Amino acid sequence: MAVIETVELTKYYGINRGIENLNLTIEEGEVFGFLGPNGAGKTTTIRLLMAILFPTRGTASVLGKNAWRDSAAIKEEIGNLPGDLNLYEKMRGEEFLNFIARFRPRKPPVLKKELVDRFDLDLKRRIKEYSKGNRQKLGIIQAVMHDPKLLLLDEPTSGLDPLMQQEFYHLVKELKSRGCTIFISSHILPEIEKVCDRVGIIKEGSLVAIERIDTLISKKVRYIDVIFDNPVNPDDFRLPGVISIDKVNNHLRLTLKGEIDELIKKLAQYKVRDIISTHASLEEIFLEFYGKGGPSER
Amino acid sequence: MNANLFIKSLKEIRVSWTSYAIGLMFYVYLLISVYPSIQERAKDFQKIFENYPEGFLRFFSGGSGVADITSPEGFLSIEIFAFMWFVIIGAFVIAYGTGAIGKEIDSGTIEILLSQPITRTSAIISKGLTLFGGTAALVFITMASTYLFSLIVDLTIKPEGILALAAVGALFFLAVAAYSLFFSVLLSERGHAAFASAGILIAMYLLTSLKQYATWAEKLDVISLFHYYNSAQLLTTGDIPLKSTLVYAGTTIFFVAASILVFSRRDIAP
C-alpha cells in the first residue's frame, strides 16, 4: 500500500517556485530519503503533505486519504518534525510533551519514557533554556512518542551531536523494523545512505531522480587526494572505477566512482604520506549522473 | 472546539487577563471614590461641565450624549464607561485577538500545532473562545466592580442599567475581538494585524465623536460600532436596544465566520 502518493504536486508562492509536478510513491514500511540542497523544495513538500500549505495544483494522498480534506484524521497516525522547529518557549519539556500527547487520546505516548531516556533529555527545564540540540531531541520525541504509522522528518539530525545522531539512526532502524514508514528530508548524503531504502533527489523544485540507496552507492563519486613520498606514474592508478586522475608533483587527485577497495590495495604498494577521501557534493552528483535532465524514475 | 488547546490558551492569558482585571477594578474604585466630593459640589461641577465645548464632551464620552455629570448615570458614563474604558479593554482585546493565531504564526509554533490531529476550524474556535470569554469576563468585572463600589459610596444606580450596559458593552468588545481575530488570520504579521485593528477602532471612535463637525462623518457614523453605544442611556433606562444587539452580534458572527473561512484556506508558513 502506498503510504504517500503525490501526483503532479505543484506549489508556487506567487511567482516563486516551491515544487513542480512532483510524482512520488512511498510504500508502507519504507524509509525514504528526500535529498536536495537548501531551497530545493524539501520543506515545501513536507508542509504540503501536512496540509500546512495548499497546492497550486496536483494531488496528494497520505495513508490512503486526501492530504488536505482528511488532514486531521491522517495526523492521528503521523509524527512530524518540522525543519524550522519552533516550540512553546515558556513550557517545560514535560509540559510540552503532555500537551502534544493530549491531542491524541486514542494514541497514548507509549514510547515517551524510552525516548527521553535514550536521548538523555531533562524534561524539567523550560524550553527556552534548552540548547539547539535539546530542542531537536524534544522535537524528535514529540514526533515519535505515539508510535506513528508515518514519520515525516525534516532535517532531523540538525543540531544533534555525533553520539545523538547515531542514536537517532538506531531509532530509525528500530521504527522501520516495527513497520513505520519514514520520510526523511536532508541535504546530507551520508545520513540518507545510512538509514534509507530509497532516495529521491530534488533540485530546483523538481524531482531529478529516485534511486535505491544501493544503486546510488555504486554510483557514488569520491575524491581521493593522495600525497606520496616519491613521484609516481598516474597511469598505474587507472583502475576500474577511477574516472579521472590529476597530478601535481607528488599529489594525485583521483576521482572514483563505485567501490574503493581495489584502489586502497593499489595504494598500499606505495609509500603514502597522506590520504584524504571526500564525497562528491550533491551538486557534483547531479552533474555527474543526472546533468540538468528532467525528472526520471529508476 | 479542542479542550486541550482551549486550556492552553486560557493558561497563556491568565497573567495578562488577571492584570487587566485588577487594573480595571482599581480604575473603577479610583473614579467612583471621587463621586461623593463631586456630588458635594454638584452645582460647581455642573457649571464647569456645561462650559466645556460639546464636541469635547462627546469626544471623551464616545459619542454618548451626557447632560448631567453629577447624576450617577452621567458620572459613570463620562468618567468610567467612556474613553479610558475603551482604551483599557480595547488594548486587551486587540492584543489578544491579534495574538490568538498571529502569535503562533509569528513564533513559528503554528507548524507544531497544525501537525496535531486538529482541524483549523477547531483551532481557531478554541482560541476564539478564550478571547471572547476573556473579553466578556473583563466587561462583567468592570460592571460588578462598579455596582459594588457604588454601594460603598452611596452612588445609586439601577441594577438593570448595569446589566444592560454589561450586555451591550460585552457585545461591543466581542465585535472588536472578532475583527481583530480576522486580521490576525488574514495578515501574516501580528504587528500589522494589531495596527489595523487599533486603527479601525480609533477611526470609528473619531467618526462618532466628531460627527457633528463634518457632514461626511455624520453620514459614515452608521458604520461605527460607537454609533450604537450610549452608556448613559443604557444605565438610565436599563433597556437593551435591539439595533445595537443585532449590529454587534452580526459583526461578531460575520468576522468569526470570515476568520474560520480564511484560516481554513490559507497557507500557513512560519
Side-chain angles (χ1 to χ4, degrees):
Chain A
M1 171 197 154
V3 171
I4 296 175
E5 187 162 24
T6 69
V7 179
E8 300 294 312
L9 188 61
T10 299
K11 177 67 186 174
Y12 269 83
Y13 302 100
I15 55 163
N16 299 316
R17 177 267 312 148
I19 57 165
E20 211 160 25
N21 302 324
L22 184 73
N23 293 302
L24 197 60
T25 304
I26 296 167
E27 299 296 330
E28 192 173 356
E30 190 175 14
V31 181
F32 187 87
F34 204 43
L35 194 64
N38 294 333
K42 303 188 296 292
T43 299
T44 296
T45 305
I46 290 181
R47 285 180 176 162
L48 283 164
L49 295 173
M50 288 302 296
I52 287 164
L53 299 176
F54 290 90
T56 306
R57 63 172 183 272
T59 61
S61 73
V62 177
L63 295 165
K65 293 175 178 161
N66 183 296
W68 297 279
R69 194 187 58 220
D70 306 317
S71 166
I74 291 168
K75 286 169 189 169
E76 190 84 25
E77 302 290 349
I78 294 185
N80 178 38
L81 173 68
D84 296 325
L85 184 61
N86 292 292
L87 305 168
Y88 297 101
E89 298 283 311
K90 289 180 184 169
M91 283 188 182
R92 295 180 192 279
E94 181 78 50
E95 187 185 358
F96 172 71
L97 292 181
N98 291 342
F99 169 63
I100 297 295
R102 280 194 293 269
F103 281 109
R104 294 179 182 83
R106 287 184 295 276
K107 296 271 292 178
V110 287
L111 301 177
K112 179 179 147 190
K113 189 178 179 314
E114 182 199 328
L115 290 165
V116 170
D117 291 343
R118 281 177 76 159
F119 285 105
D120 191 24
L121 187 63
D122 179 6
L123 293 181
K124 292 192 184 89
R125 295 173 67 184
R126 289 196 190 277
I127 292 173
K128 65 181 172 191
E129 295 164 2
Y130 278 4
S131 65
K132 170 142 175 51
N134 281 341
R135 282 163 194 254
Q136 194 69 5
K137 289 180 194 174
L138 193 62
I140 292 170
I141 295 170
Q142 64 81 29
V144 178
M145 66 182 179
H146 57 283
D147 197 12
K149 284 184 182 166
L150 170 65
L151 254 181
L152 300 174
L153 305 168
D154 194 356
E155 307 282 357
T157 57
S158 166
L160 293 185
D161 63 43
L163 275 178
M164 285 302 145
Q165 285 182 12
Q166 292 307 317
E167 194 58 54
F168 170 76
Y169 300 142
H170 289 312
L171 175 66
V172 168
K173 284 173 186 165
E174 282 172 32
L175 291 168
K176 177 183 163 56
S177 70
R178 297 164 79 112
C180 181
T181 308
I182 304 172
F183 183 96
I184 301 178
S185 129
S186 177
H187 63 278
I188 306 165
L189 180 59
E191 176 170 291
I192 295 290
E193 281 177 18
K194 268 196 186 95
V195 292
C196 296
D197 302 316
R198 275 197 310 153
V199 59
I201 297 174
I202 186 168
K203 186 184 178 188
E204 293 171 6
S206 297
L207 198 61
V208 180
I210 296 181
E211 292 279 12
R212 291 206 58 77
I213 285 291
D214 41 18
T215 313
L216 192 72
I217 287 171
S218 71
K219 289 176 172 179
K220 188 168 69 176
V221 171
R222 284 191 190 91
Y223 300 111
I224 316 288
D225 289 279
V226 191
I227 301 170
F228 296 93
D229 247 8
N230 302 302
V232 292
N233 180 4
D235 292 336
D236 293 348
F237 296 92
R238 297 212 180 277
L239 302 168
V242 176
I243 52 178
S244 74
I245 302 173
D246 298 302
K247 181 175 182 272
V248 181
N249 300 324
N250 290 356
H251 176 187
L252 280 192
R253 168 167 264 218
L254 303 144
T255 306
L256 178 73
K257 186 163 110 180
E259 297 299 320
I260 196 171
D261 187 58
E262 206 169 332
L263 178 64
I264 293 286
K265 282 173 181 157
K266 184 73 183 171
L267 288 170
Q269 296 168 15
Y270 295 80
K271 190 163 185 187
V272 173
R273 201 188 306 159
D274 199 1
I275 182 165
I276 300 163
S277 170
T278 46
H279 291 283
S281 69
L282 275 177
E283 197 63 30
E284 287 162 333
I285 291 175
F286 291 140
L287 292 172
E288 178 65 27
F289 297 110
Y290 311 113
K292 290 188 176 181
S296 65
E297 184 148 1
R298 301 176 193 200
Chain B
M1 209 261 299
N2 183 282
N4 188 26
L5 185 58
F6 176 67
I7 291 165
K8 177 187 164 286
S9 306
L10 279 182
K11 281 182 185 170
E12 276 173 354
I13 64 162
R14 68 187 164 188
V15 174
S16 62
W17 187 89
T18 308
S19 310
Y20 271 97
I22 292 170
L24 273 169
M25 284 192 279
F26 183 68
Y27 166 72
V28 169
Y29 170 75
L30 206 68
L31 292 171
I32 286 188
S33 62
V34 301
Y35 181 71
S37 54
I38 286 182
Q39 218 180 20
E40 273 172 26
R41 301 172 64 191
K43 279 185 184 169
D44 297 339
F45 273 105
Q46 186 58 28
K47 203 177 260 179
I48 295 168
F49 182 72
E50 280 165 2
N51 285 332
Y52 284 134
E54 199 190 336
F56 176 85
L57 291 174
R58 279 195 177 274
F59 182 81
F60 284 100
S61 65
S64 296
V66 178
D68 179 8
I69 194 180
T70 60
S71 72
E73 293 81 9
F75 172 78
L76 292 176
S77 290
I78 203 150
E79 292 294 340
I80 297 179
F81 301 112
F83 186 75
M84 275 311 288
W85 194 51
F86 297 124
V87 170
I88 296 169
I89 301 192
F92 171 84
V93 168
I94 291 171
Y96 189 69
T98 54
I101 293 293
K103 195 174 163 191
E104 299 267 3
I105 296 174
D106 265 4
S107 64
T109 50
I110 193 81
E111 196 164 6
I112 279 283
L113 181 63
L114 294 182
S115 296
Q116 311 313 317
I118 175 175
T119 62
R120 292 190 185 195
T121 303
S122 175
I124 199 166
I125 287 175
S126 308
K127 291 274 187 179
L129 280 179
T130 315
L131 167 67
F132 295 141
T135 303
L138 280 183
V139 172
F140 285 108
I141 277 190
T142 319
M143 299 306 160
S145 315
T146 304
Y147 189 71
L148 288 175
F149 295 139
S150 298
L151 294 177
I152 296 170
V153 299
D154 217 19
L155 189 156
T156 315
I157 43 170
K158 287 182 190 168
E160 59 267 36
I162 278 284
L163 285 174
L165 185 56
V168 174
L171 284 171
F172 173 92
F173 284 111
L174 291 189
V176 178
Y179 81 68
S180 300
L181 186 67
F182 174 72
F183 282 121
S184 96
V185 299
L186 185 70
L187 304 172
S188 294
E189 287 183 38
R190 186 186 177 188
H192 293 169
F195 187 75
S197 303
I200 287 174
L201 190 64
I202 292 166
M204 288 192 297
Y205 191 90
L206 291 174
L207 210 55
T208 301
S209 303
L210 307 174
K211 63 186 173 192
Q212 72 204 77
Y213 296 110
T215 322
W216 62 267
E218 198 179 352
K219 281 179 187 164
L220 283 175
D221 183 42
V222 286
I223 62 165
S224 164
L225 293 177
F226 290 96
H227 176 77
Y228 306 93
Y229 173 88
N230 188 325
S231 51
Q233 194 180 47
L234 288 164
L235 285 169
T236 310
T237 64
D239 294 334
I240 299 173
L242 181 65
K243 204 172 179 183
S244 305
T245 309
L246 288 176
V247 168
Y248 295 154
T251 306
T252 306
I253 292 165
F254 173 81
F255 279 108
V256 168
S259 303
I260 292 171
L261 198 70
V262 170
F263 189 58
S264 302
R265 292 178 181 201
R266 67 162 285 192
D267 286 341
I268 307 288

